[in-house]
Amino acid sequence: MSLEVRELTPPGSGAVSVLRLSGAGALAALRALSGGADLAPGAPRLVRLRLDGEDLDEAVACGLSADEVELQVHGSPPLVRRLIDHLGRGAAIQRGPRSLEERAALLLAHAPCEVAARILLDQAEGALSNELRALAGMGEAQSGRTIDALLERWRIARRALEPAEVVIAGPVNAGKSTLFNALLGEDRAIVSPEPGTTRDLLRELALLGAWPAWLVDTAGERDSSAAGAAASVEEQGRQRGRRARGTADLVLWLEPLDPSCAPVSRPPTDSGGRVALVHTFADLAEDAGRVRGAISALRDASGARACVAEVFRAALALPVDPWTPGTAVPITADMASAIGTLRGRSGADLARAIEAVIGGATALA
């Protein structure tokens, strides 16, 4: 077996990076790097790594077998790069996990919410691999339906695994920051009746029902005829808000029902994603009960959260619960794309393509 170096942890900075060296000479290569440390299989050792007379790092090394060792070092990209370059001389270098289950297990550590973790855990335990392998025994029509179902599950699960960007926008004093705080469950944004209080973007991760979402509070829209530096700063904030709307998955455009508020401009047409209208200050309107999507975030924060969660799900065509126990779900966009290319394949070609997806391939010939 040839020597192989694998980086098990995701690339980039981190507290710890894990390298695995496999094949004939693996123990010898690491002993040379650690000054001849005893790396008997099954016994972790704290070692000092030296290369070309230079101290590199203090690390934990463990012999897994006679031809396989694992090395845990500080997660400095330059350090990891140097170790891989040295240990990988004449070796096959693999960065990142090889299997679908490994990818799911690594993503699990960074799951943005509980249901995302449950989806990833199911795949780490083989749910998707098992369903993909079952494709090989299906007829073309049945396999096509199964692939379609998998891709639809990805469309839904993606919003749990990759939180949507939800921009809260509207005129000044429409209750944007009040709603932002209510959805977060804490006073993160400053709330004031003075127009122009919010001048920059505030971005926080929140849960809309069971769904994670990045919430963005923006400066209110109004006539910028006021003079002075304050007006200039406020206008810069509005421009940032407009740019955020242009890339959002959903814009919540707030329309106050307070009769004392100035006439409201309609929802923007410059938004990149969907726009949903939410009526605020329901407690100040006599007929608020007849207005769909009317909330009072200050008086009824839990009601506002429930209303916005419903608006969010409806706008993105999502169910109440993202997770069905044990269900096979693609976990990344490139994986879903590779699964899509299985359609129309058959026999040995399909079987090879399935194993390529399970093994970590993201593009199939």
Side-chain angles (χ1 to χ4, degrees):
M1 181 171 63
S2 62
L3 201 61
E4 176 185 278
V5 180
R6 297 176 56 208
E7 184 179 1
L8 301 184
T9 43
S13 299
V16 175
S17 288
V18 181
L19 303 178
R20 183 171 293 179
L21 191 61
S22 306
L27 276 172
L30 195 51
R31 283 195 183 112
L33 192 61
S34 59
D38 179 14
L39 299 174
R45 294 285 185 271
L46 186 65
V47 299
R48 174 68 64 178
L49 304 180
R50 293 180 59 83
L51 182 60
D52 300 329
E54 177 186 354
D55 275 339
L56 292 183
D57 194 19
E58 193 171 58
V60 175
C62 181
L64 304 178
S65 67
D67 297 319
E68 189 169 43
V69 292
E70 189 170 284
L71 184 64
Q72 300 180 14
V73 299
H74 289 97
S76 164
L79 169 65
V80 173
R81 174 73 263 168
R82 189 169 180 188
L83 287 171
I84 288 176
D85 287 345
H86 174 73
L87 293 171
R89 290 172 184 169
I93 302 176
Q94 291 197 12
R95 294 179 179 83
R98 287 182 294 187
S99 74
L100 187 159
E101 286 78 9
E102 286 176 316
R103 295 178 74 181
L106 286 175
L107 291 172
L108 185 59
H110 306 285
C113 64
E114 180 182 349
V115 291
R118 292 182 182 278
I119 290 169
L120 291 167
L121 184 59
D122 283 340
Q123 313 323 308
E125 293 177 346
L128 181 54
S129 291
N130 292 338
E131 186 148 334
L132 288 175
R133 288 192 172 108
L135 288 173
M138 299 178 185
E140 184 176 347
Q142 184 181 3
S143 66
R145 289 192 295 270
T146 301
I147 291 169
D148 289 342
L150 285 171
L151 297 182
E152 173 61 12
R153 289 177 208 157
W154 162 244
R155 184 195 69 79
I156 293 172
R158 181 173 191 169
R159 297 303 184 184
L161 300 169
E162 301 174 2
E165 195 87 0
V166 178
V167 171
I168 303 174
V172 294
N173 291 350
K176 296 181 296 300
S177 296
T178 300
L179 178 58
F180 183 78
N181 289 340
L183 295 176
L184 288 177
E186 62 177 293
D187 291 337
R188 177 67 178 82
I190 297 173
V191 176
S192 168
E194 180 182 344
T197 299
T198 301
R199 296 181 178 179
D200 206 346
L201 304 181
L202 289 178
R203 186 173 184 265
E204 295 285 348
L205 188 64
L207 280 178
L208 302 181
W211 298 90
W214 286 106
L215 297 181
V216 183
D217 187 20
T218 63
E221 294 289 344
R222 67 167 171 166
D223 180 17
S224 57
S225 58
S232 175
V233 172
E234 189 181 338
E235 177 58 28
Q236 291 181 47
R238 283 193 291 270
Q239 290 174 5
R240 290 188 178 188
R242 292 164 193 156
R243 287 195 293 270
R245 295 201 305 256
T247 58
D249 295 297
L250 176 64
V251 175
L252 298 177
W253 183 263
L254 306 195
E255 180 175 307
L257 295 175
D258 183 355
S260 67
C261 289
V264 180
S265 59
R266 302 307 297 173
T269 58
D270 61 350
S271 300
R274 301 167 181 83
V275 179
L277 188 63
V278 176
H279 298 279
T280 55
F281 302 123
D283 54 317
L284 301 179
E286 294 181 0
D287 60 348
R290 296 196 300 271
V291 179
R292 181 175 175 79
I295 62 170
S296 177
L298 184 61
R299 306 294 182 193
D300 183 11
S302 62
R305 286 193 290 269
C307 178
V308 170
E310 182 180 351
V311 168
F312 174 80
R313 293 195 308 271
L316 300 181
L318 300 173
V320 173
D321 194 341
W323 177 62
T324 301
T327 300
V329 179
I331 55 174
T332 63
D334 59 6
M335 187 179 295
S337 178
I339 289 172
T341 66
L342 298 177
R343 189 181 284 105
R345 296 175 184 255
S346 61
D349 177 49
L350 175 60
R352 284 193 299 268
I354 289 170
E355 292 306 318
V357 174
I358 293 172
T362 58
L364 306 177

